[in-house]
Amino acid sequence: MQAINWKTTARDGNARTGVIQTRRSVIETPVFMPVGTLGTVKGERFEWLESEIDARIILGNTYHLWIRPGTDVITVLGGLHRFSGWNRALLTDSGGFQVFSLSELRRIGEEGVEFRSHLDGAKLFMSPEISMDIQAVLGSEIVMAFDECPPGDLGKEEIKTSVDLTVRWAQRSKDRFEELQAGGSDLGRVSFETSDLSGKQALFGIVQGGGHLDLRKESLERTVEIGFDGYAIGGLSVGEEKDVMYGVLGDLAPQMPESEPRYLMGVGTPEDILEAVSHGVDMFDCVLPTRNGRTGGAFTSNGDLNIRNATFRDDPSPLDENCKCSVCRRHSRAYIRHLYTAKEMLGPILISHHNLAYYLGLMADIRTAIREQRFSAFRAEVLAHRSAG
Amino acid sequence: MQAINWKTTARDGNARTGVIQTRRSVIETPVFMPVGTLGTVKGERFEWLESEIDARIILGNTYHLWIRPGTDVITVLGGLHRFSGWNRALLTDSGGFQVFSLSELRRIGEEGVEFRSHLDGAKLFMSPEISMDIQAVLGSEIVMAFDECPPGDLGKEEIKTSVDLTVRWAQRSKDRFEELQAGGSDLGRVSFETSDLSGKQALFGIVQGGGHLDLRKESLERTVEIGFDGYAIGGLSVGEEKDVMYGVLGDLAPQMPESEPRYLMGVGTPEDILEAVSHGVDMFDCVLPTRNGRTGGAFTSNGDLNIRNATFRDDPSPLDENCKCSVCRRHSRAYIRHLYTAKEMLGPILISHHNLAYYLGLMADIRTAIREQRFSAFRAEVLAHRSAG
């Protein structure tokens, strides 16, 4: 029995819809997963994520949760689901990206990475095994292998070295993961009386290789050889030019196994998502809806706006006139701008909520368009409206 | 026809239950009104206030809304209801308390008060007429007369002088208010096809007099003589000893007109509210549930706690084991403490919500106890549990 079941339900060019059945929720793809770094999607109550947004899966962050509140606390509480109160599916990233992007003074060796906490400078060590141990405590439905995330400006030689290390770490991630699953260490375990799922965690491998198509291909092949429940594209949207990212996506995504979900990590704008979907990517996560929401940035069908702009001071219209979310049905731009200006918490709360509603609404529309074999036209229409606004 | 209808529905000693019918919602008393200073109850979406908390009326603040976003913006949007999206009843305070507590360099004259904005130091002038003008733009269901709020440490002579001024300002408030109502200036106006309400705003007078029972009595009599739709007790909980406040409440509240609602402004703890209800007060507002919520303070049936306390680090129990609110049904103290420690917005959001649920739940229990003629026993029980916790 498998940890997750994935099946394709429709195709339109390389774009596809599917369903991921996990032990905690059923996820329609292409899916956008709101980011809950510290066990909370910033500014959102779970009740809204469940009811209006209908998020079936959110992210948790191994690095951040390891530092705060720490695995000791989460162990006592019985895993991240019980700790946080989120009962639908969780995907936890491996901590790799944060170790390489947030911490200073890191020293990478074969065994793992020595680094200092971004909070208090404490010396820490992370390895594939430690990442798997933490993710077993978190008890997520989907675990990510521990990878090296090299800076975007490395030479090809160094990226090749990094890909080699990531492959070795992927194997070690899988080995430790399987031990943990066999030992029942996963705190998120649920038992199904009647199910074709194993009740265990699933493990995804991560493809690296920077902007080099040959290294990407090699990384993919060697990762697939190890064998995972799904495959992710890492190391994109880390400062490279758009055409490099789109080049990798166009080449790599269609080569990824048909029979497992494809996940583009940490990406991106609505435009990026539409591009990636066109090449067959199924899963996305990004901090943009909530991060921009906190600084007044709203995504809309007519292009993006920042509510701090003085033109909205007495604007009675909603953030997005085509949006049916609870924020747009009720509140004017003038009111939300006032909340921002007055530094009221409700400002970030409302825009973040609208942005998540926009993103998950977009994904639902994408799925419908693929099912109806009109994804290209749909995409062109969305892009046209967003750039004309 | 009246602007509001008030009727008593039960009595138990001096405590009483009643119903205030306003043009926008029906309010059961004793009632606690969440404070929405700037047109938002801090950290709460209106949807929660309506559904789970079932707040029938919230406060808005004339002083704050006058400064931000300004009456020009609120006029364009069509009043505070339409501006904010809150469609139930609003009570607006007159700005008096804020002029006297927040601003510096104030100069009080017969005409009004000259002061500087607490935000940018701009010179401003507030008078009874200006307060009424602003409250007509806000379009609240209940308007408060503009009063002088002297510091608690004034001598009796000076308090007497202040009471005299407040009475003259009350008359001027009423005169201007009636002009505005007659001229249809109130932006919150709604028309009822079938109703026994006028559709206009209601105006409450404010009783001052510090801790002096004779001045309180004089202030009450002269305010009642002018004639208002309800009467408020101002100038309590401003730094005086508890027994002074309770002394004034015990003496003053039962003397207030039976036939109108009695409102204790800006008070207070659950203990204060139980005391005031025992003397026949019907309406309350206070920033405590949301202000304490933002700094980690939770009100519970077993006494108050601060979630930042290290003992809650791995505590799986809810904030209040006797609470049925959505926060207590779902989230542990350990999780909420983690949110606080990590400075996540959701921490203040969750505790503020629980605190409001606690306060409005307490008011519902108070109403039930009065109806069942067991208010004294109920009060003793609440106090015993809260002090034993």
Side-chain angles (χ1 to χ4, degrees), chain A residues 38-40 42 45-46 48 50 68-69 72-73 83-85 313 326 330-331 335 338-339 344 346 349 353, chain B residues 38-40 42 45 47-48 50 68-69 72-73 83-85 313 326 330-331 335 338-339 341 344 346 349 353:
Chain A
L38 279 154
T40 162
K42 292 182 194 298
R45 288 190 59 179
F46 289 157
W48 305 339
E50 291 163 348
R68 279 188 307 202
D72 58 335
V73 168
F83 174 69
S84 69
R313 187 162 184 271
S326 57
R330 181 161 211 159
H331 298 295
Y335 177 64
H338 158 67
L339 296 174
E344 285 284 348
L346 192 63
I349 292 172
H353 183 76
Chain B
L38 278 153
T40 162
K42 291 183 193 299
R45 288 189 60 178
E47 287 80 359
W48 306 339
E50 290 163 349
R68 280 189 309 199
D72 57 336
V73 168
F83 174 69
S84 70
R313 187 164 184 271
S326 57
R330 181 162 212 160
H331 299 296
Y335 177 65
H338 158 68
L339 296 174
T341 310
E344 284 284 349
L346 192 62
I349 291 171
H353 183 75

Short mmCIF file of all heavy atoms in Angstrom, two decimals, chain A residues 38-40 42 45-46 48 50 68-69 72-73 83-85 313 326 330-331 335 338-339 344 346 349 353, chain B residues 38-40 42 45 47-48 50 68-69 72-73 83-85 313 326 330-331 335 338-339 341 344 346 349 353:
data_model
loop_
_atom_site.label_atom_id
_atom_site.label_comp_id
_atom_site.label_asym_id
_atom_site.label_seq_id
_atom_site.Cartn_x
_atom_site.Cartn_y
_atom_site.Cartn_z
N LEU A 38 5.58 28.63 10.55
CA LEU A 38 5.70 28.30 11.97
C LEU A 38 4.45 27.61 12.51
O LEU A 38 4.14 27.72 13.69
CB LEU A 38 5.99 29.58 12.76
CG LEU A 38 7.47 30.01 12.73
CD1 LEU A 38 7.61 31.50 12.93
CD2 LEU A 38 8.23 29.25 13.82
N GLY A 39 3.74 26.91 11.63
CA GLY A 39 2.52 26.24 12.08
C GLY A 39 1.31 27.14 12.03
O GLY A 39 0.27 26.83 12.59
N THR A 40 1.45 28.28 11.34
CA THR A 40 0.32 29.19 11.13
C THR A 40 0.51 29.89 9.79
O THR A 40 1.60 30.37 9.50
CB THR A 40 0.20 30.25 12.25
OG1 THR A 40 -0.62 31.34 11.80
CG2 THR A 40 1.56 30.80 12.66
N LYS A 42 0.21 33.01 8.11
CA LYS A 42 0.22 34.29 8.81
C LYS A 42 -1.07 35.09 8.65
O LYS A 42 -1.46 35.43 7.54
CB LYS A 42 1.43 35.13 8.36
CG LYS A 42 2.76 34.53 8.82
CD LYS A 42 3.97 35.36 8.42
CE LYS A 42 5.26 34.59 8.59
NZ LYS A 42 5.57 34.17 9.95
N ARG A 45 -7.00 32.41 10.27
CA ARG A 45 -7.45 31.34 11.14
C ARG A 45 -7.71 30.11 10.28
O ARG A 45 -8.11 30.19 9.13
CB ARG A 45 -8.72 31.76 11.90
CG ARG A 45 -8.37 32.79 12.98
CD ARG A 45 -9.54 33.05 13.89
NE ARG A 45 -9.97 31.83 14.56
CZ ARG A 45 -10.96 31.78 15.43
NH1 ARG A 45 -11.62 32.88 15.75
NH2 ARG A 45 -11.30 30.64 15.99
N PHE A 46 -7.48 28.93 10.87
CA PHE A 46 -7.67 27.68 10.13
C PHE A 46 -9.11 27.56 9.61
O PHE A 46 -9.34 27.00 8.55
CB PHE A 46 -7.34 26.48 11.01
CG PHE A 46 -5.86 26.33 11.31
CD1 PHE A 46 -5.43 25.64 12.43
CD2 PHE A 46 -4.89 26.88 10.47
CE1 PHE A 46 -4.07 25.48 12.71
CE2 PHE A 46 -3.53 26.73 10.74
CZ PHE A 46 -3.13 26.03 11.86
N TRP A 48 -10.99 29.74 8.33
CA TRP A 48 -11.18 30.36 7.01
C TRP A 48 -10.49 29.56 5.94
O TRP A 48 -10.97 29.48 4.80
CB TRP A 48 -10.56 31.74 6.95
CG TRP A 48 -10.98 32.69 7.96
CD1 TRP A 48 -12.12 32.66 8.72
CD2 TRP A 48 -10.26 33.84 8.36
NE1 TRP A 48 -12.14 33.73 9.54
CE2 TRP A 48 -11.02 34.47 9.35
CE3 TRP A 48 -9.07 34.41 7.96
CZ2 TRP A 48 -10.61 35.64 9.96
CZ3 TRP A 48 -8.66 35.57 8.55
CH2 TRP A 48 -9.42 36.18 9.55
N GLU A 50 -10.14 26.49 5.88
CA GLU A 50 -10.95 25.31 5.60
C GLU A 50 -12.23 25.64 4.85
O GLU A 50 -12.56 25.00 3.85
CB GLU A 50 -11.33 24.62 6.92
CG GLU A 50 -10.16 23.98 7.62
CD GLU A 50 -10.45 23.67 9.07
OE1 GLU A 50 -11.48 24.15 9.60
OE2 GLU A 50 -9.64 22.96 9.70
N ARG A 68 11.81 26.85 16.86
CA ARG A 68 10.69 27.29 17.69
C ARG A 68 9.43 26.59 17.27
O ARG A 68 9.07 26.73 16.10
CB ARG A 68 10.45 28.82 17.53
CG ARG A 68 11.37 29.67 18.33
CD ARG A 68 10.92 31.10 18.26
NE ARG A 68 10.76 31.57 16.87
CZ ARG A 68 10.78 32.86 16.51
NH1 ARG A 68 10.93 33.78 17.40
NH2 ARG A 68 10.63 33.22 15.25
N PRO A 69 8.68 25.90 18.09
CA PRO A 69 8.89 25.74 19.53
C PRO A 69 9.90 24.67 19.87
O PRO A 69 10.19 24.48 21.05
CB PRO A 69 7.50 25.36 20.03
CG PRO A 69 6.94 24.57 18.89
CD PRO A 69 7.47 25.23 17.65
N ASP A 72 10.90 18.99 20.99
CA ASP A 72 10.47 18.46 22.29
C ASP A 72 9.02 18.83 22.57
O ASP A 72 8.20 17.99 22.96
CB ASP A 72 11.41 18.94 23.41
CG ASP A 72 11.50 20.46 23.51
OD1 ASP A 72 11.25 21.14 22.49
OD2 ASP A 72 11.80 20.96 24.60
N VAL A 73 8.67 20.11 22.33
CA VAL A 73 7.30 20.55 22.58
C VAL A 73 6.34 19.84 21.62
O VAL A 73 5.28 19.35 22.03
CB VAL A 73 7.18 22.09 22.40
CG1 VAL A 73 5.72 22.51 22.34
CG2 VAL A 73 7.92 22.81 23.51
N PHE A 83 -0.51 19.68 17.61
CA PHE A 83 0.05 20.90 18.19
C PHE A 83 -0.68 22.14 17.69
O PHE A 83 -1.04 23.02 18.46
CB PHE A 83 1.55 21.00 17.85
CG PHE A 83 2.19 22.30 18.28
CD1 PHE A 83 2.37 22.59 19.62
CD2 PHE A 83 2.60 23.22 17.34
CE1 PHE A 83 2.95 23.79 20.03
CE2 PHE A 83 3.19 24.42 17.73
CZ PHE A 83 3.36 24.70 19.07
N SER A 84 -0.90 22.19 16.37
CA SER A 84 -1.44 23.42 15.77
C SER A 84 -2.96 23.41 15.68
O SER A 84 -3.57 24.47 15.61
CB SER A 84 -0.86 23.62 14.37
OG SER A 84 -1.37 22.63 13.48
N GLY A 85 -3.55 22.23 15.63
CA GLY A 85 -5.00 22.15 15.42
C GLY A 85 -5.40 22.08 13.95
O GLY A 85 -6.57 22.13 13.63
N ARG A 313 -7.85 56.33 -1.17
CA ARG A 313 -8.28 56.93 0.09
C ARG A 313 -9.80 56.92 0.27
O ARG A 313 -10.29 56.62 1.36
CB ARG A 313 -7.76 58.38 0.15
CG ARG A 313 -8.00 59.04 1.48
CD ARG A 313 -7.11 60.27 1.65
NE ARG A 313 -7.33 60.83 2.98
CZ ARG A 313 -8.25 61.74 3.25
NH1 ARG A 313 -9.02 62.23 2.30
NH2 ARG A 313 -8.41 62.17 4.50
N SER A 326 -14.93 36.81 0.85
CA SER A 326 -15.65 37.49 1.92
C SER A 326 -15.12 38.91 2.14
O SER A 326 -15.87 39.77 2.61
CB SER A 326 -15.54 36.67 3.22
OG SER A 326 -14.18 36.46 3.56
N ARG A 330 -17.46 42.51 1.19
CA ARG A 330 -17.85 43.35 2.32
C ARG A 330 -17.12 44.69 2.42
O ARG A 330 -17.72 45.68 2.80
CB ARG A 330 -17.58 42.56 3.61
CG ARG A 330 -17.97 43.31 4.85
CD ARG A 330 -18.11 42.35 6.00
NE ARG A 330 -19.09 42.81 6.93
CZ ARG A 330 -19.71 42.02 7.80
NH1 ARG A 330 -19.44 40.74 7.84
NH2 ARG A 330 -20.60 42.51 8.63
N HIS A 331 -15.82 44.67 2.12
CA HIS A 331 -15.00 45.84 2.48
C HIS A 331 -14.51 46.61 1.26
O HIS A 331 -14.12 46.03 0.25
CB HIS A 331 -13.82 45.40 3.32
CG HIS A 331 -14.20 44.76 4.62
ND1 HIS A 331 -14.85 45.45 5.62
CD2 HIS A 331 -14.01 43.50 5.09
CE1 HIS A 331 -15.05 44.63 6.65
NE2 HIS A 331 -14.56 43.44 6.35
N TYR A 335 -11.68 51.52 3.17
CA TYR A 335 -11.62 50.99 4.53
C TYR A 335 -10.32 50.24 4.75
O TYR A 335 -9.64 50.43 5.77
CB TYR A 335 -12.82 50.07 4.76
CG TYR A 335 -12.83 49.39 6.12
CD1 TYR A 335 -12.94 50.12 7.29
CD2 TYR A 335 -12.75 47.99 6.22
CE1 TYR A 335 -12.97 49.50 8.53
CE2 TYR A 335 -12.77 47.37 7.45
CZ TYR A 335 -12.89 48.12 8.61
OH TYR A 335 -12.91 47.50 9.83
N HIS A 338 -7.49 52.57 5.08
CA HIS A 338 -7.53 53.18 6.42
C HIS A 338 -6.92 52.25 7.46
O HIS A 338 -6.13 52.68 8.31
CB HIS A 338 -8.99 53.52 6.76
CG HIS A 338 -9.27 53.67 8.22
ND1 HIS A 338 -8.75 54.69 8.98
CD2 HIS A 338 -10.02 52.91 9.08
CE1 HIS A 338 -9.16 54.56 10.24
NE2 HIS A 338 -9.93 53.49 10.32
N LEU A 339 -7.27 50.96 7.41
CA LEU A 339 -6.72 49.99 8.37
C LEU A 339 -5.20 49.95 8.28
O LEU A 339 -4.50 49.90 9.29
CB LEU A 339 -7.29 48.60 8.11
CG LEU A 339 -8.80 48.43 8.30
CD1 LEU A 339 -9.23 47.03 7.86
CD2 LEU A 339 -9.21 48.69 9.75
N GLU A 344 -3.68 48.95 11.80
CA GLU A 344 -4.60 47.99 12.41
C GLU A 344 -4.31 46.59 11.85
O GLU A 344 -4.19 46.42 10.64
CB GLU A 344 -6.05 48.38 12.11
CG GLU A 344 -6.55 49.56 12.92
CD GLU A 344 -6.87 49.16 14.37
OE1 GLU A 344 -6.92 47.95 14.68
OE2 GLU A 344 -7.05 50.08 15.19
N LEU A 346 -6.19 44.26 11.27
CA LEU A 346 -7.17 43.76 10.32
C LEU A 346 -6.77 44.04 8.87
O LEU A 346 -7.19 43.31 7.97
CB LEU A 346 -8.56 44.34 10.63
CG LEU A 346 -9.73 43.69 9.90
CD1 LEU A 346 -9.88 42.22 10.29
CD2 LEU A 346 -11.04 44.43 10.19
N ILE A 349 -4.68 41.17 7.72
CA ILE A 349 -5.57 40.01 7.78
C ILE A 349 -6.45 39.97 6.54
O ILE A 349 -6.56 38.94 5.87
CB ILE A 349 -6.44 40.05 9.06
CG1 ILE A 349 -5.59 39.84 10.32
CG2 ILE A 349 -7.58 39.03 8.99
CD1 ILE A 349 -6.34 40.06 11.63
N HIS A 353 -6.06 37.38 3.34
CA HIS A 353 -7.18 36.47 3.07
C HIS A 353 -7.65 36.60 1.62
O HIS A 353 -7.82 35.59 0.92
CB HIS A 353 -8.34 36.75 4.02
CG HIS A 353 -9.48 35.81 3.84
ND1 HIS A 353 -9.46 34.51 4.29
CD2 HIS A 353 -10.66 35.95 3.20
CE1 HIS A 353 -10.58 33.91 3.95
NE2 HIS A 353 -11.33 34.76 3.29
N LEU B 38 -11.14 52.45 15.83
CA LEU B 38 -10.90 53.02 14.50
C LEU B 38 -11.76 52.34 13.44
O LEU B 38 -11.37 52.25 12.28
CB LEU B 38 -9.41 52.88 14.15
CG LEU B 38 -8.51 53.98 14.74
CD1 LEU B 38 -7.09 53.50 14.93
CD2 LEU B 38 -8.54 55.22 13.86
N GLY B 39 -12.92 51.83 13.86
CA GLY B 39 -13.79 51.16 12.90
C GLY B 39 -13.44 49.69 12.73
O GLY B 39 -13.90 49.04 11.80
N THR B 40 -12.62 49.16 13.64
CA THR B 40 -12.29 47.73 13.66
C THR B 40 -12.06 47.30 15.09
O THR B 40 -11.35 48.00 15.84
CB THR B 40 -11.04 47.42 12.80
OG1 THR B 40 -10.51 46.13 13.19
CG2 THR B 40 -9.93 48.44 13.02
N LYS B 42 -10.01 45.31 17.21
CA LYS B 42 -8.64 44.92 16.85
C LYS B 42 -8.45 43.40 16.74
O LYS B 42 -8.66 42.67 17.68
CB LYS B 42 -7.64 45.52 17.84
CG LYS B 42 -7.55 47.05 17.73
CD LYS B 42 -6.51 47.64 18.68
CE LYS B 42 -6.66 49.15 18.79
NZ LYS B 42 -6.49 49.90 17.54
N ARG B 45 -12.33 39.76 12.67
CA ARG B 45 -13.14 40.01 11.49
C ARG B 45 -14.60 40.12 11.92
O ARG B 45 -15.04 39.48 12.86
CB ARG B 45 -12.96 38.88 10.46
CG ARG B 45 -11.58 38.98 9.80
CD ARG B 45 -11.46 38.03 8.63
NE ARG B 45 -12.47 38.33 7.61
CZ ARG B 45 -12.55 37.68 6.47
NH1 ARG B 45 -11.70 36.71 6.19
NH2 ARG B 45 -13.49 37.99 5.59
N GLU B 47 -17.14 38.99 10.61
CA GLU B 47 -17.84 37.71 10.49
C GLU B 47 -17.85 36.94 11.81
O GLU B 47 -18.84 36.32 12.17
CB GLU B 47 -17.21 36.85 9.39
CG GLU B 47 -17.48 37.32 7.97
CD GLU B 47 -16.60 38.48 7.51
OE1 GLU B 47 -15.75 38.97 8.30
OE2 GLU B 47 -16.78 38.91 6.36
N TRP B 48 -16.73 36.97 12.54
CA TRP B 48 -16.70 36.26 13.82
C TRP B 48 -17.51 36.98 14.87
O TRP B 48 -18.12 36.37 15.73
CB TRP B 48 -15.29 36.19 14.38
CG TRP B 48 -14.26 35.63 13.51
CD1 TRP B 48 -14.43 34.81 12.43
CD2 TRP B 48 -12.87 35.85 13.64
NE1 TRP B 48 -13.22 34.51 11.91
CE2 TRP B 48 -12.25 35.13 12.61
CE3 TRP B 48 -12.09 36.57 14.53
CZ2 TRP B 48 -10.88 35.11 12.44
CZ3 TRP B 48 -10.73 36.54 14.36
CH2 TRP B 48 -10.13 35.83 13.33
N GLU B 50 -20.09 38.62 14.38
CA GLU B 50 -21.50 38.38 14.10
C GLU B 50 -21.91 36.95 14.43
O GLU B 50 -22.92 36.72 15.11
CB GLU B 50 -21.79 38.63 12.62
CG GLU B 50 -21.72 40.08 12.22
CD GLU B 50 -21.60 40.28 10.72
OE1 GLU B 50 -21.37 39.29 10.00
OE2 GLU B 50 -21.71 41.42 10.28
N ARG B 68 -8.37 60.04 11.75
CA ARG B 68 -8.10 59.03 10.72
C ARG B 68 -9.31 58.15 10.53
O ARG B 68 -9.70 57.52 11.51
CB ARG B 68 -6.90 58.15 11.12
CG ARG B 68 -5.57 58.76 10.88
CD ARG B 68 -4.48 57.75 11.10
NE ARG B 68 -4.60 57.08 12.41
CZ ARG B 68 -3.60 56.43 13.01
NH1 ARG B 68 -2.44 56.34 12.43
NH2 ARG B 68 -3.78 55.85 14.19
N PRO B 69 -9.88 57.98 9.38
CA PRO B 69 -9.45 58.55 8.10
C PRO B 69 -9.94 59.97 7.88
O PRO B 69 -9.61 60.55 6.85
CB PRO B 69 -10.13 57.62 7.09
CG PRO B 69 -11.39 57.22 7.76
CD PRO B 69 -11.05 57.11 9.22
N ASP B 72 -14.16 63.57 5.99
CA ASP B 72 -14.35 63.72 4.54
C ASP B 72 -14.44 62.34 3.86
O ASP B 72 -15.33 62.09 3.05
CB ASP B 72 -13.23 64.57 3.92
CG ASP B 72 -11.83 64.00 4.18
OD1 ASP B 72 -11.67 63.25 5.18
OD2 ASP B 72 -10.91 64.29 3.40
N VAL B 73 -13.53 61.44 4.24
CA VAL B 73 -13.55 60.09 3.66
C VAL B 73 -14.83 59.35 4.06
O VAL B 73 -15.49 58.73 3.21
CB VAL B 73 -12.31 59.29 4.11
CG1 VAL B 73 -12.47 57.80 3.75
CG2 VAL B 73 -11.04 59.86 3.47
N PHE B 83 -18.73 52.57 5.39
CA PHE B 83 -17.26 52.66 5.30
C PHE B 83 -16.61 51.37 5.78
O PHE B 83 -15.71 50.83 5.14
CB PHE B 83 -16.76 53.84 6.13
CG PHE B 83 -15.26 53.93 6.22
CD1 PHE B 83 -14.50 54.26 5.11
CD2 PHE B 83 -14.61 53.68 7.43
CE1 PHE B 83 -13.11 54.33 5.20
CE2 PHE B 83 -13.22 53.76 7.52
CZ PHE B 83 -12.48 54.08 6.41
N SER B 84 -17.09 50.86 6.93
CA SER B 84 -16.40 49.72 7.55
C SER B 84 -16.97 48.38 7.14
O SER B 84 -16.28 47.37 7.21
CB SER B 84 -16.49 49.84 9.08
OG SER B 84 -17.82 49.63 9.52
N GLY B 85 -18.23 48.36 6.72
CA GLY B 85 -18.87 47.08 6.43
C GLY B 85 -19.56 46.45 7.63
O GLY B 85 -20.04 45.33 7.53
N ARG B 313 4.42 26.14 28.06
CA ARG B 313 5.23 25.77 26.90
C ARG B 313 4.75 24.48 26.22
O ARG B 313 4.67 24.41 25.00
CB ARG B 313 6.70 25.63 27.33
CG ARG B 313 7.65 25.41 26.17
CD ARG B 313 9.09 25.66 26.57
NE ARG B 313 9.94 25.53 25.39
CZ ARG B 313 10.50 24.38 25.01
NH1 ARG B 313 10.34 23.28 25.71
NH2 ARG B 313 11.23 24.34 23.91
N SER B 326 -14.43 28.85 19.62
CA SER B 326 -13.73 28.15 18.54
C SER B 326 -12.23 28.05 18.81
O SER B 326 -11.58 27.12 18.33
CB SER B 326 -13.98 28.88 17.21
OG SER B 326 -13.57 30.24 17.30
N ARG B 330 -10.25 24.24 19.69
CA ARG B 330 -9.27 23.79 18.70
C ARG B 330 -7.81 23.86 19.14
O ARG B 330 -7.01 23.00 18.78
CB ARG B 330 -9.42 24.64 17.44
CG ARG B 330 -8.48 24.25 16.32
CD ARG B 330 -8.98 24.80 15.02
NE ARG B 330 -8.62 23.94 13.92
CZ ARG B 330 -9.21 23.92 12.74
NH1 ARG B 330 -10.22 24.71 12.52
NH2 ARG B 330 -8.81 23.10 11.80
N HIS B 331 -7.45 24.93 19.84
CA HIS B 331 -6.03 25.22 20.04
C HIS B 331 -5.59 25.06 21.50
O HIS B 331 -6.30 25.43 22.42
CB HIS B 331 -5.71 26.63 19.57
CG HIS B 331 -5.97 26.86 18.11
ND1 HIS B 331 -5.27 26.20 17.13
CD2 HIS B 331 -6.85 27.67 17.48
CE1 HIS B 331 -5.72 26.60 15.94
NE2 HIS B 331 -6.67 27.49 16.12
N TYR B 335 0.33 25.80 21.76
CA TYR B 335 0.35 26.39 20.42
C TYR B 335 0.23 27.91 20.48
O TYR B 335 0.98 28.64 19.82
CB TYR B 335 -0.80 25.79 19.60
CG TYR B 335 -0.94 26.36 18.20
CD1 TYR B 335 0.06 26.18 17.26
CD2 TYR B 335 -2.08 27.07 17.83
CE1 TYR B 335 -0.08 26.69 15.96
CE2 TYR B 335 -2.23 27.58 16.55
CZ TYR B 335 -1.23 27.38 15.62
OH TYR B 335 -1.37 27.89 14.35
N HIS B 338 3.37 29.42 21.63
CA HIS B 338 4.34 29.40 20.52
C HIS B 338 4.09 30.57 19.57
O HIS B 338 5.03 31.27 19.14
CB HIS B 338 4.24 28.06 19.79
CG HIS B 338 4.75 28.06 18.39
ND1 HIS B 338 6.09 28.24 18.09
CD2 HIS B 338 4.12 27.94 17.20
CE1 HIS B 338 6.24 28.20 16.77
NE2 HIS B 338 5.07 28.03 16.21
N LEU B 339 2.82 30.82 19.23
CA LEU B 339 2.50 31.92 18.32
C LEU B 339 2.97 33.25 18.90
O LEU B 339 3.50 34.11 18.19
CB LEU B 339 0.98 31.97 18.06
CG LEU B 339 0.38 30.77 17.34
CD1 LEU B 339 -1.14 30.90 17.30
CD2 LEU B 339 0.93 30.63 15.93
N THR B 341 5.38 33.71 21.19
CA THR B 341 6.84 33.73 21.24
C THR B 341 7.41 34.04 19.87
O THR B 341 8.40 34.77 19.74
CB THR B 341 7.35 32.36 21.73
OG1 THR B 341 6.62 32.03 22.91
CG2 THR B 341 8.82 32.40 22.05
N GLU B 344 3.79 35.77 15.97
CA GLU B 344 2.84 35.53 14.89
C GLU B 344 1.53 36.27 15.18
O GLU B 344 1.02 36.20 16.30
CB GLU B 344 2.56 34.02 14.77
CG GLU B 344 3.69 33.25 14.10
CD GLU B 344 3.72 33.46 12.59
OE1 GLU B 344 2.75 34.02 12.03
OE2 GLU B 344 4.72 33.06 11.97
N LEU B 346 -1.36 35.52 14.59
CA LEU B 346 -2.46 34.68 15.03
C LEU B 346 -2.56 34.59 16.56
O LEU B 346 -3.65 34.33 17.09
CB LEU B 346 -2.34 33.27 14.41
CG LEU B 346 -3.56 32.38 14.55
CD1 LEU B 346 -4.77 32.95 13.83
CD2 LEU B 346 -3.27 30.97 14.02
N ILE B 349 -4.71 37.40 17.67
CA ILE B 349 -6.02 37.14 17.08
C ILE B 349 -6.79 36.12 17.91
O ILE B 349 -7.95 36.31 18.26
CB ILE B 349 -5.87 36.64 15.62
CG1 ILE B 349 -5.34 37.75 14.71
CG2 ILE B 349 -7.18 36.07 15.09
CD1 ILE B 349 -4.96 37.28 13.29
N HIS B 353 -9.98 36.90 20.41
CA HIS B 353 -11.26 36.26 20.09
C HIS B 353 -11.80 35.48 21.30
O HIS B 353 -12.97 35.61 21.66
CB HIS B 353 -11.11 35.32 18.89
CG HIS B 353 -12.40 34.70 18.48
ND1 HIS B 353 -13.37 35.38 17.80
CD2 HIS B 353 -12.91 33.46 18.69
CE1 HIS B 353 -14.41 34.59 17.59
NE2 HIS B 353 -14.15 33.42 18.13
#
